Amino acid sequence: MYWYYLLAVVVIGIDQLTKWIIVKNMELYEQITVIKDFFYITSHRNTGAAWGILEGQMIFFYIITVVVIIGVVYYMQKFGKDSILLAVSLSLILGGAIGNFIDRLFRQEVVDFLDFIIFGYDFPIFNVADSALTVGVILVLIATFLDEKRKGKTAK
């Protein structure tokens, strides 16, 4: 059960390491082309949530993140042992939430740097923590769907 927490720590470590590399080696708004017209490393900062919403609302983010962390740990303890997929999902969410929380706490902003242009759309710049959160939420939805499907089959 505790290896799920180790997965969250690995996510936090990768997230913080990549952000540190960006902060130490790139000027703000500097851009490195990885794949022209598709993928760039762009040094960016965000004081809000996804797509810059709720910009500058740090106290709100502190409170919400603490609530999310408590909820995720509770669900990991209560249901994680019953479903590997759910436990991995929650580990990714936990690692992502803490990764961005560390930025907000110590920098008062989140370091973003993964910059994609998808079919001509310049997708909002994000980071490893954001990726872990997104994948974690998608996997929670899949785990929930599979659990409901399994319960439906056993109820018949």
Side-chain angles (χ1 to χ4, degrees):
M1 178 66 191
Y2 292 104
W3 75 268
Y4 300 124
Y5 292 106
L6 181 60
L7 175 58
V9 169
V10 168
V11 168
I12 295 164
I14 293 169
D15 176 65
Q16 290 299 302
L17 176 63
T18 55
K19 290 172 179 176
W20 178 82
I21 290 168
I22 296 301
V23 168
K24 291 296 178 194
N25 295 294
M26 293 180 73
E27 295 294 322
L28 189 58
Y29 306 116
E30 182 180 348
Q31 188 173 73
I32 299 168
T33 302
V34 179
I35 301 172
K36 188 174 175 8
D37 297 326
F38 177 67
F39 177 42
Y40 301 87
I41 303 294
T42 303
S43 179
H44 181 74
R45 305 299 181 273
N46 184 357
T47 60
W51 291 275
I53 61 172
L54 300 172
E55 200 167 320
Q57 302 296 315
M58 286 301 143
I59 299 296
F60 173 76
F61 288 119
Y62 296 152
I63 293 166
I64 292 299
T65 304
V66 169
V67 169
V68 166
I69 290 168
I70 291 168
V72 168
V73 169
Y74 171 79
Y75 272 88
M76 281 178 70
Q77 290 300 118
K78 186 161 175 96
F79 303 108
K81 58 187 167 285
D82 300 330
S83 168
I84 292 172
L85 180 58
L86 182 61
V88 168
S89 307
L90 294 172
S91 298
L92 293 173
I93 292 170
L94 184 63
I98 293 173
N100 280 338
F101 184 69
I102 290 169
D103 278 19
R104 288 189 177 103
L105 201 58
F106 293 106
R107 292 189 172 98
Q108 302 301 301
E109 60 189 6
V110 175
V111 176
D112 291 327
F113 58 91
L114 299 170
D115 188 3
F116 287 88
I117 298 173
I118 302 169
F119 301 112
Y121 173 67
D122 192 0
F123 195 81
I125 302 168
F126 60 99
N127 58 46
V128 172
D130 298 333
S131 300
L133 283 163
T134 302
V135 171
V137 168
I138 291 168
L139 291 177
V140 163
L141 294 173
I142 292 169
T144 302
F145 174 77
L146 292 174
D147 187 53
E148 289 301 316
K149 188 174 178 183
R150 182 183 50 80
K151 285 178 183 175
K153 283 186 177 179
T154 58
K156 290 181 180 179

